[in-house]
Amino acid sequence: MLEKLPTILNKFQIKGQFFAAAPIEIGHINATYQVTLQNGQNKSLYVLQKINTEIFKKPLEVMHNIANIGHFLIKKSYPRKVLLPIESFEEEYVLKIADNYWRLYPFIQNTITYNQVDTIEQAYAAAFAFGEYTNYLHDFDATSLHVTIPNFHNTNLRYQQFLAATKHGVGERTKKAQETIDKLFHYQYLLKLIEGAKLPLRVTHNDTKINNILFDKTSGAAVCVIDLDTLMPGTLLYDYGDMVRTFTPPLDENSADFENIYIRKEMLHALTAGYKDGMKGRLTALEAELLLDGGKLTIFEQALRFLTDYLLGDVYYKVANQEQNLTRAKNQVCLLESLLTVS
Ligand code: ADP
Ligand code: GN1
Ligand code: MG
């Protein structure tokens, strides 16, 4: 794939000669490359991504959302970096070559992403940035966004898909996963947690895991919210929930060290404070009351999704080995059980 990148880059409105490219092996969905261009003495960095069209069936709609939100934020003098795609010479934000769709972003310099949180300052800063992002978008018409993945955070439907996978999945995997399957059956009652709640429809990010925030390498500040493919109308409870899921455990979702998968209360408090401060008082009383339920539902949903993918033979998430989705599901069950004991 790397050898094709120079030709693809030539079609975007950027200056310079191709110098280098390297895959960025973070994220489960898209194929991401850091590319370097040389212009005289200067080098400039970009992020070139092949959009996963198995998952995002309408890439033009994805890019339409991202560009509209980006321009809206810039107009409102949003205080952090805005991830805006670079246009092709055909003045499109996405380039179709054969069956693949490509997009290009500036590489945000001197930044780093983490797969787990090490300090309460990081938890506060990242949660503040996600809260602030939602707050700045409070007057953007959420219904004008394309729904890039229908039913993305429909936990009931995720449960139904899990049930179907237990019946029709790969036989030997079902046996191996039986204990985890039974646990998820047991936690079915969680589906009722926010049933019937009158929650405001907001522009939500829907994938607020810790590696979707760029931190400044020097100051540690949260510089930029990234991975905007799932910007959609929704409830913020899942945004908060995915922060609980990914900011609070000492180890990330791939860890098989299950005894060390638990909610660190200090991280939970820091992220909750950061999120509320970032939202600048715009959380409704009901949203505030249901935040922790959002955490439970999001972790439960993620366990269902990983286990469903395991049972179906790893059709969705990138995996490094055959057992990885099962490990991830077990990891999420441990985290869920820990959250159920702290609240
Ligand atoms: P995925 O949907 O596969 O998770 P992401 O858009 O999150 O893809 O990108 C994967 C990783 O690439 C991010 O976690 C981050 O480390 C890095 N990355 C993405 N965009 C940028 C950018 N504009 N500048 C710097 N790093 C980036
Ligand atoms: C995927 O794209 P990435 O790696 O940030 C997934 C999320 C999951 C997450 C689990 C579009 O996020 O929903 O929570 O993996 N994104 C999509 O790590 O399905
Ligand atoms: Mg990502």
Side-chain angles (χ1 to χ4, degrees), residues 27-28 207 209 211-212 226-227:
H28 294 323
D207 193 2
K209 71 181 193 188
N211 66 23
N212 288 329
I226 61 164
D227 205 344

Side-chain angles (χ1 to χ4, degrees), residues 126-145:
F128 186 99
F130 277 126
E132 179 191 63
Y133 194 79
T134 303
N135 179 39
Y136 265 79
L137 294 170
H138 80 273
D139 51 350
F140 186 100
D141 176 10
T143 63
S144 73
L145 288 173

Side-chain angles (χ1 to χ4, degrees), residues 160-342:
Q160 295 309 322
Q161 290 166 340
F162 158 70
L163 278 188
T166 62
K167 290 181 189 131
H168 310 297
V170 182
E172 87 231 25
R173 288 192 171 209
T174 313
K175 270 189 226 136
K176 271 199 183 158
Q178 197 57 52
E179 203 181 319
T180 315
I181 292 174
D182 290 341
K183 286 191 179 174
L184 294 184
F185 285 158
H186 170 72
Y187 291 119
Q188 185 190 1
Y189 68 87
L190 295 173
L191 295 174
K192 299 224 176 306
L193 280 181
I194 62 168
E195 210 174 68
K198 296 260 174 301
L199 293 160
L201 190 73
R202 297 183 182 273
V203 175
T204 45
H205 181 283
N206 294 304
D207 193 2
T208 54
K209 71 181 193 188
I210 189 62
N211 66 23
N212 288 329
I213 281 274
L214 300 178
F215 287 93
D216 188 278
K217 272 187 191 166
T218 319
S219 70
V223 174
C224 186
V225 171
I226 61 164
D227 205 344
L228 306 175
D229 300 328
T230 51
L231 276 171
M232 279 185 276
T235 160
L236 58 67
L237 295 183
Y238 287 90
D239 278 2
Y240 174 82
D242 215 32
M243 289 188 264
V244 176
R245 188 180 79 76
T246 62
F247 296 16
T248 67
L251 301 170
D252 76 17
E253 66 194 13
N254 294 305
S255 172
D257 181 2
F258 301 131
E259 293 198 346
N260 282 309
I261 302 300
Y262 60 90
I263 303 282
R264 290 173 295 178
K265 284 191 192 157
E266 69 279 16
M267 294 300 177
L268 184 61
H269 294 147
L271 86 85
T272 306
Y275 192 61
K276 286 183 174 170
D277 290 351
M279 280 292 290
K280 297 270 184 297
R282 234 181 264 281
L283 276 181
T284 66
L286 186 61
E287 285 173 326
E289 189 188 317
L290 295 179
L291 284 179
L292 277 180
D293 287 339
K296 291 170 198 166
L297 271 174
T298 308
I299 299 169
F300 179 52
E301 180 181 283
Q302 193 62 63
L304 291 168
R305 292 178 65 194
F306 282 144
L307 197 56
T308 303
D309 201 33
Y310 177 73
L311 295 171
L312 296 181
D314 307 325
V315 292
Y316 191 94
Y317 295 106
K318 287 185 201 160
V319 287
N321 62 65
Q322 298 274 310
E323 299 305 307
Q324 192 165 33
N325 271 320
L326 179 57
T327 303
R328 288 169 176 159
K330 289 181 177 171
N331 169 307
Q332 297 295 288
V333 170
C334 292
L335 191 63
L336 175 63
E337 290 177 343
S338 171
L339 184 59
L340 292 172
T341 63
V342 299

